[in-house]
Amino acid sequence: MGLKDGPLWNHNIHFHRVALEAIPNSATSALDVGTGNGMLARDLRERLPDVTAIDVDAPILAAAQRTHAGINWVLADAMTHDFGRTFDVVASVAALHHFEDLESALGRLRELTAPGGVLVIVGLAKATTLGDYARSVPGVVQHHWYSRTRNLWEHTAPTKWPPPHSYTEVRECAARVLPGVRWRQFAMWRYALTWHKPSELLGGSRF
């Protein structure tokens, strides 16, 4: 089936809005972790002048670089790469489940978020509770509707299935690592974490 007219759509692109809506008014920089085909980095670059995108897959990153201009592309592991800076927005879509150590990954993304900035993660997790499975029912309906009515595009970035962590594990780990984090669980097999890093610690010292 050929692509329809209009913007590309898939499950991950559908949730880019979660990251874009969380951008602080004062933000000028963003980091896209696990950028893959670079679609989120592109959307961030339309709103912010300073966007960095990192991934460990060289061919995918090279293809993204040819397609999307004005972005600082980094071929490296986000867990160990020395950026030498922090970012007003740290965003990641469908990448967190590629990290085996969830707590370390969340801690690393927290470190890369600038004081007063925001960390936004849209991820995948395993269903293990009745509530998880119940949410998947409307997700199936939504998937078929959007697949028929939107310009469905299959990304070429590596996938990992099943995810190593359950929704419950992600939610509980995020609550420990990111105090005050906002948790949302969606029908189309995605969840979102949104965390605002305080500008100052008690006593006035900065992060």
Side-chain angles (χ1 to χ4, degrees):
M1 182 186 300
L3 291 174
K4 305 178 180 70
D5 292 332
L8 299 179
W9 181 90
N10 61 30
H11 288 190
N12 295 332
I13 294 172
H14 183 83
F15 289 105
H16 284 187
R17 59 181 172 79
V18 176
L20 302 177
E21 291 169 359
I23 297 174
N25 291 333
S26 60
T28 60
S29 64
L31 172 65
D32 177 15
V33 177
T35 190
N37 294 103
M39 304 298 283
L40 177 60
R42 177 205 62 184
D43 288 348
L44 290 167
R45 183 63 182 83
E46 290 178 354
R47 291 158 175 79
L48 300 171
D50 177 9
V51 175
T52 296
I54 187 168
D55 205 287
V56 296
D57 191 295
I60 290 295
L61 197 68
Q65 187 172 6
R66 290 192 295 270
T67 305
H68 310 305
I71 297 166
N72 177 32
W73 303 98
V74 178
L75 176 62
D77 185 345
M79 292 294 294
T80 57
H81 180 71
D82 182 8
F83 292 94
R85 60 178 296 193
T86 55
F87 300 86
D88 298 324
V89 179
V90 175
S92 181
V93 173
L96 187 63
H97 65 289
H98 287 268
F99 296 91
E100 291 296 333
D101 189 332
L102 180 61
E103 186 164 347
S104 295
L106 289 174
R108 173 61 171 160
L109 299 185
R110 179 190 61 202
E111 293 171 357
L112 292 170
T113 307
V118 64
L119 168 60
V120 186
I121 297 168
V122 175
L124 294 79
K126 291 186 295 189
T128 56
T129 69
L130 289 177
D132 295 339
Y133 289 112
R135 288 184 182 90
S136 68
V137 175
V140 172
V141 176
Q142 291 179 17
H143 166 76
H144 287 293
W145 170 256
Y146 285 125
S147 297
R148 290 196 303 268
T149 60
R150 304 291 178 92
N151 193 14
L152 179 63
W153 172 72
E154 297 292 341
H155 68 78
T156 57
T159 60
K160 181 176 183 177
W161 192 263
H165 312 105
S166 69
Y167 288 103
T168 300
E169 289 170 330
V170 175
R171 184 172 65 250
E172 292 178 349
C173 184
R176 292 194 304 271
V177 179
L178 307 170
V181 67
R182 181 187 183 191
W183 164 270
R184 283 175 286 174
Q185 190 168 336
F186 302 106
M188 284 197 296
W189 311 289
R190 300 293 188 276
Y191 66 83
L193 301 170
T194 305
W195 179 72
H196 295 270
K197 188 169 188 174
S199 296
E200 297 183 351
L201 288 169
L202 294 177
S205 60
R206 297 182 66 83
F207 276 76

